[in-house]
Amino acid sequence: MAKLSKNIADLLEREDLKNWRLLMSAFESIFKNLEKALLKDGLSISRFQILFFLYTEDYLAPVELARRMTVTRANISTFLKRMIADDLIMECPQSPSPKRPCYRLTPQGAQLFEEIFPQHAARVAKMVPPFSKEMKNGLEKLRTHAQEHALDE
């Protein structure tokens, strides 16, 4: 193990940092396992997320997809171009202008999502135990607290 300075060692013993490390570790474990399974199905996690958001929202603008996925607009543009080429998504008539298109699933994209999602849901059920009401409330409180104290540095 690396030799830690006293200051860093003390910080790592703080309860809030232990909680943060636990949350991040749980997230990383679940994310990596689900990503690995999706790759076996021929989908990247990004492609799956776009399918999910467009299936559940009907249509979205690239800037909104990028925000939800925490990627740059340049990255989302690349994903969208590839998914258009694969006939999974298309521009939708609700687009405010040709320069600012919105996207929706094609019938093939919706069918792919409907085929993949039940398997994904079963994997999630295996990996994520049921949460008690108290745990759900605690996680919601954490999410709200984090939003209220967002770092705008």
Side-chain angles (χ1 to χ4, degrees), residues 125-144:
K126 278 179 144 178
M127 293 180 59
V128 180
F131 289 171
S132 66
K133 185 174 181 170
E134 294 79 20
M135 181 176 247
K136 287 179 188 177
N137 289 341
L139 288 170
E140 180 58 29
K141 185 177 176 180
L142 172 63
R143 187 192 64 77
T144 303

Side-chain angles (χ1 to χ4, degrees), residues 1-4 9 12-13 21:
M1 184 163 146
K3 181 162 172 44
L4 304 175
L12 289 173
E13 287 303 312
R21 291 174 70 192

Side-chain angles (χ1 to χ4, degrees), residues 33-58:
N33 281 299
L34 292 175
E35 181 178 44
K36 185 177 174 183
L38 285 169
L39 286 171
K40 287 181 183 175
D41 292 334
L43 286 176
S44 68
I45 197 90
S46 300
R47 200 171 258 239
F48 176 81
Q49 287 177 300
I50 292 169
L51 290 172
F52 175 81
F53 290 132
L54 293 180
Y55 191 89
T56 58
E57 298 289 331
D58 193 32

Side-chain angles (χ1 to χ4, degrees), residues 83-153:
M83 291 178 78
I84 289 168
D86 291 342
D87 200 27
L88 296 174
I89 64 169
M90 63 183 179
E91 285 188 29
C92 60
Q94 293 87 344
S95 297
S97 75
K99 290 184 178 183
R100 300 180 77 124
C102 290
Y103 294 91
R104 70 178 322 145
L105 294 180
T106 62
Q108 294 88 334
Q111 181 181 352
L112 175 61
F113 182 78
E114 289 171 354
E115 290 170 3
I116 297 292
F117 192 71
Q119 298 165 4
H120 179 77
R123 290 179 192 123
V124 170
K126 278 179 144 178
M127 293 180 59
V128 180
F131 289 171
S132 66
K133 185 174 181 170
E134 294 79 20
M135 181 176 247
K136 287 179 188 177
N137 289 341
L139 288 170
E140 180 58 29
K141 185 177 176 180
L142 172 63
R143 187 192 64 77
T144 303
H145 182 84
Q147 283 182 328
E148 290 171 356
H149 296 86
L151 306 175
D152 296 325
E153 299 173 24

